Amino acid sequence: MFSQRRVAQMAAYLLGREKGRMNYLKLIKLLYLADRESIKRHGHPISDDRYVSMDHGPVLSTTFNLIKGAVKFAERGWNYWIADRADYDVALKRKATREALDELSDANLDVLSDIYAKFGKMDEWKLVDYTHRYCPEWTDPKGSSIPIEYEDIFKAFGRTPVEARKLGARLEQQRKIDRLFAAL
């Protein structure tokens, strides 16, 4: 289930690696790539956000709305960790120690660390180009947005259509179960 606290901690970890400030487009690309890598390695994302194709590549939908300030902030969520967007940058409000990142497992942190090591030196436009070229689940929405399904991501990793459909359906079923339990 999507957790604003968890995605804020993901962002805080990455911002901590970048000396506390980063272009928000770069951050959203790194977060997407981390979720994608977690799906590849572990069969499930870190954020549990919804993905959409936008003009500048794949985006974590709710997280993008958090960056824009278009979503109500949860307690100890986005605005606890991340300062408002200014000049296309977001900034870290507090130190992201291991103890403070209690929503993230060691496996999550390994994925985030590896993604930063691989892509952290790229600027936002190189990351946009990268996701356009190497994330085949992205389709050009021509000024709009198009949902990216888990099935599409599994296909991009070379799974057969049948495998991709089953794996995607399993993640969607888990999302429904999580929402059901959260409503209790």
Side-chain angles (χ1 to χ4, degrees), residues 39-166:
I39 291 169
K40 183 178 182 181
R41 288 184 193 183
H42 307 296
H44 56 83
I46 302 170
S47 76
D48 287 320
D49 204 339
R50 291 278 183 191
Y51 311 120
V52 293
S53 290
M54 295 185 76
D55 288 339
H56 295 310
V59 170
L60 284 73
S61 182
T62 304
T63 304
F64 184 56
N65 288 328
L66 285 166
I67 290 170
K68 295 187 308 185
V71 175
K72 184 180 176 191
F73 295 123
E75 183 179 336
R76 295 179 64 92
W78 190 262
N79 67 334
Y80 176 81
W81 286 99
I82 312 299
D84 286 344
R85 181 175 63 151
D87 296 327
Y88 301 100
D89 282 357
V90 290
L92 190 57
K93 283 186 172 180
R94 55 189 27 86
K95 191 171 173 114
T97 64
R98 176 63 187 114
E99 297 76 33
L101 300 176
D102 59 348
E103 293 284 324
L104 300 174
S105 69
D106 290 340
N108 297 155
L109 291 172
D110 286 345
V111 168
L112 288 163
S113 179
D114 291 348
I115 289 300
Y116 188 81
K118 185 172 182 179
F119 299 106
K121 300 271 189 251
M122 291 183 182
D123 70 15
E124 63 273 19
W125 301 114
K126 286 185 180 172
L127 285 167
V128 166
D129 290 342
Y130 179 88
T131 58
H132 284 184
R133 185 173 293 136
Y134 297 107
C135 296
E137 66 273 17
W138 175 82
T139 54
D140 187 350
K142 299 183 184 349
S144 185
S145 67
I146 301 169
I148 298 172
E149 303 299 333
Y150 289 126
E151 180 178 341
D152 301 325
I153 296 170
F154 283 115
K155 284 179 188 173
F157 292 140
R159 299 293 191 137
T160 68
V162 171
E163 289 174 323
R165 190 170 27 263
K166 285 181 181 176

